[in-house]
Amino acid sequence: MTDLLEPRAIGADLVRRDGEAKVRGTATYAYETPVEHPAYAHPVQATIARGRVTAMDTTAAEALDGVLAVLTPFNAERLAETSDFEYAVLQGQDVGFRGQLIGVVVAETSELARQAADAVEVTYDEQPHDTELSADRPDLYAPEQVNAGHETDTAEGDVAAAMATAEVTLERTYSTAMYHNNPLEPHATTALWEPAGGGFLTLWDSTQGVHPDRAAVSEVFGLDQEQVRVVCPYVGGGFGSKGLPHGNVFLTALAARALPGRPVKMALTRQQMFFLAGYRTPTIQRMQLAADHRGRLSAIAIDVVEQTSRVKEFAEQTGVPARMMYASPNRRTTHRLAALDVPIPSWMRAPGECPGMFGPEVAMDELAEELGIDPVELRVRNEPEVDPETGKPWSSRNLVRCLREGAQRFGWSERRAYRDGDWLVGTGVASSVYPTMRQATSTAALRFEGGRYVAEIGAADLGTGAWTILPQITADALGVDVADVEVRIGDTRYPVASVAGGSSGTNTWGSALVVAAREFRTKYGADPRDGDEASGDVDQAGQDDTHSPYAFGAQFVEARVNADTGEIRVPRLLGVFGVGRVINPRTARSQLIGGMTMGLSMALHETSAWDPRIGQVANHDLGEYHITVNADVGAIEAHWIDEHDPYVNAMGSKGIGEIGIVGTAAAVVNAVHSATGVRVRDLPVTLDKLLPALD
Amino acid sequence: MKPFAYARPGDVAEAVRDVAAEPNAVFLAGGTNLVDHLRLGVARPDLVVDVRTLTSREVTDLPDGGLRLGAASTNSQVAADPRVRERWPVLAQALLAGATGQLRNMATTGGNPLQRTRCVYFQDVTTPCNKREPGSGCSAVGGYTRYHAVLGTPAALPDPTAPETCIATHPSDMAVALAALDAQVRVLGPAGERTVPFPELHRLPGDDPSRDTVLEHGELITAIDLPALPAGTRSAYRKVRDRASYAFALVSVAAVVTPDGELRLALGGVAHRPWRATRAEEVLRGQQLTQDAVRGAIAAELAAAQPQPGIDSGNGFKIPLVARTVLATVRGLLPEEHS
C-alpha cells in the first residue's frame, strides 16, 4: 500500500504548458535547433535486400560544389562497439535488408546532400532474399524471450484435453498487418562534435528518452556518458519508434564527426522512415477456445507466428495478454519467429497488447455468437478472481465495470443490426488491457529558487502531456500551488530518466518527483530558503510486489457498411477505461482517443503492403499508406471510471498512453460482422473483403 | 534530386517558346504533384517554367451557355463556383472528392488533369518503371496492384519486362468528370492554338507508357470549356475508397443523365486514362434507362476487364465494384419510377 497524494492539482483540467509555444511555432524540434552554420546530411540506402556492397563510386558526388564529405563502409571510421547491426552504421559491407544505411553525404544544403547521395554509384554482390512470412515456414524458431523480458512460451493444464472434451470449441486463425509508426515529426538529429578536447558530442535528437539515447550513442562511439549531451525538449510524436535509437542517429553523429565544430543536421524523409525507423511485425495468431454451454472457458490458447530481421532480433510479445485476460484452467501461449531479410521491427504503441488483443477479442465474439450469449456477458462470465498467470490478486481490476458502464453509455442493450437506407449498421465490443509498469531508474532534483520550486528530470513529452502533468504531481507532493512549480525535462544535463515507453513515464518520473518532494519537505520543512535542494530516486518510492497491476477498458463501435460499395464507416467509437486516478483529464482524454483513433486506423486503413519480390513496403509514403483522417472519425468518446488503486504508486495512476489502441480493431471487426455477417479475420477490414457477401 | 533552372516569363506565348526550345523543360502551375516529383527524382527537368500567374484565373460564361475555366483557376474556386455547382454538379463533386482543402487551393484547372499516376513503383526511382524510365520494365505487374488498371490493359497478364507494359491508372477525379461532360481543352503550342476534346486528351499506354496525354512538348493548357447541358440534366460523381477523405479512388463514377434519358458515363481508378464508358453508352442508346438496362450495359463495358493479381489479392474486386458503383450512381439520378 502506498500513501496516495491528496489530489489538488492532480485531476485538474490544466492546459498544456507547451501548447502556446507549439501553436505559435516557437517550440524547437531537433532539426530546427538554431545552430551556427549547419551542414546537412543525406543517407545512401541499399537497393538490394541481401548481399554485399562490393564498391561505391563517390567521384561524382564528391565533385559537386558544396559537398563536404561522403562516407561509405570503405572510408568511415571504425566505431568502438559494433555488435548491434543497426547501430554499427557503415562498419561493414553486408546488406541485411533493402533500404539499409550504406553511406552518407554531408553538404552545404539539404538539397545538395540529397543530390550527391543520389549520385553515389553502388555495386553489389546480390544474393537471393527471403522476406515472406508464413505460418508453415520450416525455419520458424522460438526466441530466448520476447519483448519486455516475457517468457516465449507458457503452458498450464492441458489445452488439447480441454478442446477434446469441451461442449463448444473454437479454432481460428487471425492476422494483423505490418504497420509503421509514422509520427508526424520525422526521425531527426542535429549533431555537433566539439572541435578540440576529448571529443564532446551534443545531439539534439527527436527521442523518447534522452538518457537511453545517450547511453547507446556513448557505447557505440566509445565515449564516457559525460562526453555526450542529448537535448530534446519536444517530440512530434514517437509511438515507440523513437523509444530506441535507430541507425539514423548514429549515422548523423558519424557524419558530424567528419566536420568537428560544425553542426550537422539530418532528418529522414517519410519514405526512408519505412525502412529505418522500426515497425510492427505482421502477426499470425492461431486461437483455440474451449467453453461450456454457459460460456465458461476451459481453455485458451494462442500460437503466434511473426517476423524479425535476420540482422537484429525483435520479438513482439503478442501472446502475452492472453495469459492473464480471462479465467481458464487450461492455457497455452507460444511465439515463433521467422528471421527474414527485412528491416528491423521494433516498438509500436502497445507492442504485444495491441496485436495480441486482436485475435483473442474477435475469437471471444465468435464464441459468444456460437453460444448465443451477449459478448459483454461472455466476458463478464470469464472474469478471473486473481491474475491467472501469477496467482496474485489484482491491484485493481474493473473490466466488468468498464463493460457495464460502456454498454450503458453506448446503448448496447438496444443494439440491433439493421439497414438504414444504403447502409448496413452493426455494433461490436472488445476489451482493452495494458500493464501498469514502472521503470527501475529515474531521478528527480528539486530546488527552491526565486520563490518557486524547480524540478529537473530527463523525462520526455511526446505530445503526451509530461510538461503539464509532472508539475501537477510535484505540486501535490509539495502541497503548493501548481503555478509555483516548474518541471524541466528533455536534457541529459538533468538527472537520469527512463524512456517514455510502456506507458510507464508518469508512474516512473512522477514517483521520483514525489520522493524528491517528500525528501525536500523532510529536510527543509514548509518554509525553505533559496537554493535549498533535494533529490529523489524512483527506487525509493513504495513498490508493491504482491499485486498484479493492470489497466482495463472496454470499447464499443458502431459500424456502417455501404450496401452498394462495401465502404466502411465508423460513426461511433466509445471507450470506458479503468486507469486509476487521472492526473489531467484534458491530456488523458487526448491520449485515450488518440489511441482509439490509431486502433480504428489499424482496423480499417493501415497496412504496409509488403512486396516480397523486391523486399520493401510498396506503399512507403503517406500518400499511399493510409492513416485514418478526421473524416473517418465520428463521435469518439473516452470515459473513465472512478478507480481507487492504492498499490500502483503515490499518484494512484496507471499508464494511459497505450491502452486506447488495444482492442479497438477487434471491436471494429465485431461490429462489421454484426452489420454484414462477414467475419474478417485478417486486418485491415477493407471493402473488397465484404463485397462478395453483399447482394 | 537534381538542380534545375527556374523561369517566370512575361506571358503565355513566351512560356510556350521557352519550354518548346528546351527538350527537358516542364511547365509548373500549382506544383502539388511536380514539386514532389522533383524531390523524389521522378521528374528531372533542366528548366521549370512557372505559368501560374500567366494563364487566366477567371471562370467566365460562354455565349452558348457553357463555361470557360481559365487554366490557373484553382480547384477550390471551381468547386465553389455557383454556376458549376448548379449546372455541372458532377464536376464540383469530383473536385471536392479530390485531395484536401490545402491542395485544392493550390491545384489548378490546367494542372489537375496533367497530374501523373500514383503507381507506387512510378514514384520510387529504385524500381523499374516504363512510364518513368522507358524500357526498364513494369514493377507493378504482380506487385501492389490495388490502385491499378482493369481496363485498357492487354487481355492476358502483361509481360512485366516488355517496354510497353504499364498498368497504371490516372488519379484525377476532376478528369473523370470532365470526360463525362465532353469538356473541350484549349491548348496553346509552338504551332498555335488547338482544341482537344477532353475524352481524347489522355491516352492508353500503347507503345509508349511514358506519355500520359496527346499533348506535344511545349503545348500548354490555357483553359477548359464546359459545354452547355440541356436544361434538366442531372449529374453526379461517386468516389469509392477505403478512407473517407484524402485518398485516391479505388473506383469512381461520373454520370450525366440528360432529360431525354441519355447517359454519359466515365470511370476513374480503372485505366491509364479517365475511362469514358462508350460501350455502355452505346448499349443504352435508345433504351429506357432502367436499372436492368444499366446493369447490362456496364456488364458489356466490363466484358474486356482484366483483373491484375498481386499483393493482398490483387485488384479483381474492382470489376464488381465498378458495376455496383455505376448502378448506385445512376440510381440516384433516375426518376423514382425507374429506380
Side-chain angles (χ1 to χ4, degrees), chain B residues 7-8 13 41 47 80 113 120 151 155 167 177 184 193 199 214 223 242 247 261 272 284 324:
Chain B
R8 208 165 187 168
L47 172 66
V120 293
L151 287 167
I167 58 169
Q184 299 290 313
E193 283 196 85
V214 298
D242 295 312
H272 191 258
L284 286 168
R324 301 176 72 99

Side-chain angles (χ1 to χ4, degrees), chain B residues 134-197:
Chain B
S136 62
C138 174
S139 301
V141 172
Y144 184 54
T145 58
R146 188 170 178 82
Y147 290 87
H148 287 73
V150 292
L151 287 167
T153 52
L157 190 62
D159 172 6
T161 63
E164 68 276 10
T165 298
C166 177
I167 58 169
T169 50
H170 195 266
S172 166
D173 293 298
M174 181 194 198
V176 181
L178 293 174
L181 289 169
D182 285 319
Q184 299 290 313
V185 185
R186 297 174 63 84
V187 177
L188 178 67
E193 283 196 85
R194 66 170 174 141
T195 300
V196 181

Side-chain angles (χ1 to χ4, degrees), chain A residues 118 564 611 613 616 627 632, chain B residues 1 121 124 139 243 324:
Chain A
D118 290 345
D564 291 310
D611 189 333
R613 303 168 309 161
Q616 72 176 27
I627 292 167
D632 295 297
Chain B
M1 171 157 219
Y121 304 99
D124 181 348
S139 301
R243 186 161 76 174
R324 301 176 72 99

Side-chain angles (χ1 to χ4, degrees), chain A residues 287 289 297 300 319-328 331 333 353 356-357 360-361 364 378-390 394 397-400 402-403 430-435 548 550-554 659 662-663:
Chain A
M287 284 296 309
L289 295 178
L297 291 168
I300 305 175
V320 164
R323 295 173 183 172
M324 48 63 64
M325 195 63 200
Y326 298 113
S328 170
R331 294 191 309 280
T333 67
E353 281 74 19
M357 285 289 278
E361 288 300 300
M364 286 295 276
L378 179 68
R379 287 168 172 85
V380 173
R381 288 183 193 178
N382 288 286
E383 181 70 1
E385 293 282 315
V386 296
D387 181 347
E389 189 181 9
T390 62
W394 305 103
R397 173 171 169 131
N398 284 299
L399 174 63
V400 173
C402 292
L403 285 162
S431 301
S432 306
V433 66
Y434 200 80
S548 199
Y550 284 88
F552 293 89
I659 191 170
V662 178

Side-chain angles (χ1 to χ4, degrees), chain A residues 270-562:
Chain A
R270 183 63 59 182
Q271 289 85 353
Q272 288 162 353
M273 286 167 68
F274 281 82
F275 299 88
L276 296 168
Y279 62 95
R280 195 194 304 282
T281 172
T283 74
I284 301 164
Q285 309 173 16
R286 178 171 163 258
M287 284 296 309
Q288 290 173 296
L289 295 178
D292 64 22
H293 70 278
R294 290 167 44 250
R296 289 296 300 247
L297 291 168
S298 56
I300 305 175
I302 182 169
D303 298 301
V304 179
V305 174
E306 50 199 16
Q307 75 187 36
T308 184
S309 166
R310 190 170 50 81
V311 294
K312 180 174 176 177
E313 183 181 275
F314 178 82
E316 180 135 355
Q317 71 273 36
T318 304
V320 164
R323 295 173 183 172
M324 48 63 64
M325 195 63 200
Y326 298 113
S328 170
N330 302 292
R331 294 191 309 280
R332 184 187 71 241
T333 67
T334 66
H335 295 87
R336 295 294 176 269
L337 297 186
L340 305 174
D341 303 314
V342 295
I344 303 158
S346 186
W347 298 339
M348 181 165 169
R349 202 172 199 168
E353 281 74 19
C354 171
M357 285 289 278
F358 177 68
E361 288 300 300
V362 179
M364 286 295 276
D365 202 68
E366 297 204 50
L367 182 65
E369 187 194 12
E370 187 126 351
L371 292 164
I373 296 174
D374 180 335
V376 167
E377 187 57 31
L378 179 68
R379 287 168 172 85
V380 173
R381 288 183 193 178
N382 288 286
E383 181 70 1
E385 293 282 315
V386 296
D387 181 347
E389 189 181 9
T390 62
K392 292 179 186 176
W394 305 103
S395 70
S396 55
R397 173 171 169 131
N398 284 299
L399 174 63
V400 173
R401 272 179 68 194
C402 292
L403 285 162
R404 296 266 191 245
E405 182 171 332
Q408 190 262 325
R409 285 179 178 273
F410 187 79
W412 180 257
S413 62
E414 296 93 55
R415 77 190 187 285
R416 62 193 173 94
Y418 64 101
R419 183 167 177 149
D420 177 15
D422 294 335
W423 295 88
L424 308 170
V425 186
T427 49
V429 64
S431 301
S432 306
V433 66
Y434 200 80
T436 300
M437 288 191 272
R438 188 194 293 178
Q439 308 288 338
T441 307
S442 275
T443 302
L446 181 62
R447 193 169 58 252
F448 188 66
E449 58 180 52
R452 304 187 79 214
Y453 295 86
V454 178
E456 292 178 339
I457 181 166
D461 185 329
L462 329 180
T464 44
W467 274 115
T468 312
I469 63 142
L470 295 180
Q472 292 178 265
I473 294 167
T474 310
D476 283 358
L478 286 165
V480 298
D481 194 300
V482 68
D484 293 331
V485 177
E486 180 183 346
V487 178
R488 298 174 184 156
I489 63 171
D491 194 328
T492 52
R493 289 200 169 158
Y494 305 144
V496 64
S498 56
V499 68
S503 299
S504 66
T506 302
N507 189 350
T508 309
W509 313 324
S511 295
L513 284 160
V514 170
V515 171
R518 286 176 173 162
E519 173 71 12
F520 187 94
R521 282 287 181 246
T522 305
K523 277 170 86 170
Y524 308 112
D527 195 16
R529 283 182 300 184
D530 224 42
D532 286 347
E533 56 188 353
S535 78
D537 291 336
V538 66
D539 62 11
Q540 298 164 270
Q543 176 88 45
D544 171 275
D545 293 322
T546 59
H547 292 80
S548 199
Y550 284 88
F552 293 89
Q555 299 196 32
F556 295 80
V557 166
E558 177 185 326
R560 297 170 85 89
V561 176
N562 188 279

Side-chain angles (χ1 to χ4, degrees), chain A residues 93-283:
Chain A
Q93 291 156 253
D94 287 344
V95 175
F97 58 91
R98 189 178 172 104
Q100 183 185 317
L101 297 169
I102 54 168
V104 64
V105 174
V106 190
E108 294 289 350
T109 67
S110 61
E111 293 83 359
L112 191 58
R114 190 166 185 169
Q115 181 193 358
D118 290 345
V120 173
E121 296 277 343
V122 186
T123 311
Y124 301 98
D125 172 15
E126 187 174 0
Q127 290 156 19
H129 63 256
D130 177 2
T131 69
E132 268 186 287
L133 178 67
S134 74
D136 51 12
R137 290 180 65 103
D139 60 348
L140 296 175
Y141 74 98
E144 266 181 44
Q145 58 177 27
V146 292
N147 183 47
H150 292 281
E151 284 178 77
T152 301
D153 296 348
T154 58
E156 188 161 334
D158 188 340
V159 169
M163 290 293 287
T165 56
E167 291 174 75
V168 181
T169 62
L170 190 94
E171 202 163 328
R172 299 275 189 274
T173 299
Y174 303 91
S175 70
T176 58
M178 178 190 288
Y179 307 103
H180 280 76
N181 311 53
N182 275 311
L184 188 57
E185 182 202 17
H187 293 64
T189 312
T190 300
L192 172 64
W193 291 87
E194 294 299 328
F200 190 92
L201 170 66
T202 303
L203 292 173
W204 293 268
D205 189 32
S206 185
T207 173
Q208 292 175 219
V210 288
H211 287 96
D213 204 23
R214 180 178 72 168
V217 170
S218 306
E219 190 182 7
V220 166
F221 282 87
L223 301 169
D224 293 335
Q225 298 227 11
E226 293 68 36
Q227 291 174 282
V228 180
R229 180 184 177 198
V230 179
V231 185
C232 182
Y234 307 107
V235 188
F239 309 116
S241 72
K242 296 170 182 170
L244 299 162
H246 296 294
N248 61 297
V249 179
F250 303 91
L251 192 72
T252 314
L254 193 64
R257 187 111 129 163
L259 300 168
R262 185 109 191 246
V264 171
K265 298 186 173 212
M266 189 173 88
L268 294 183
T269 65
R270 183 63 59 182
Q271 289 85 353
Q272 288 162 353
M273 286 167 68
F274 281 82
F275 299 88
L276 296 168
Y279 62 95
R280 195 194 304 282
T281 172
T283 74

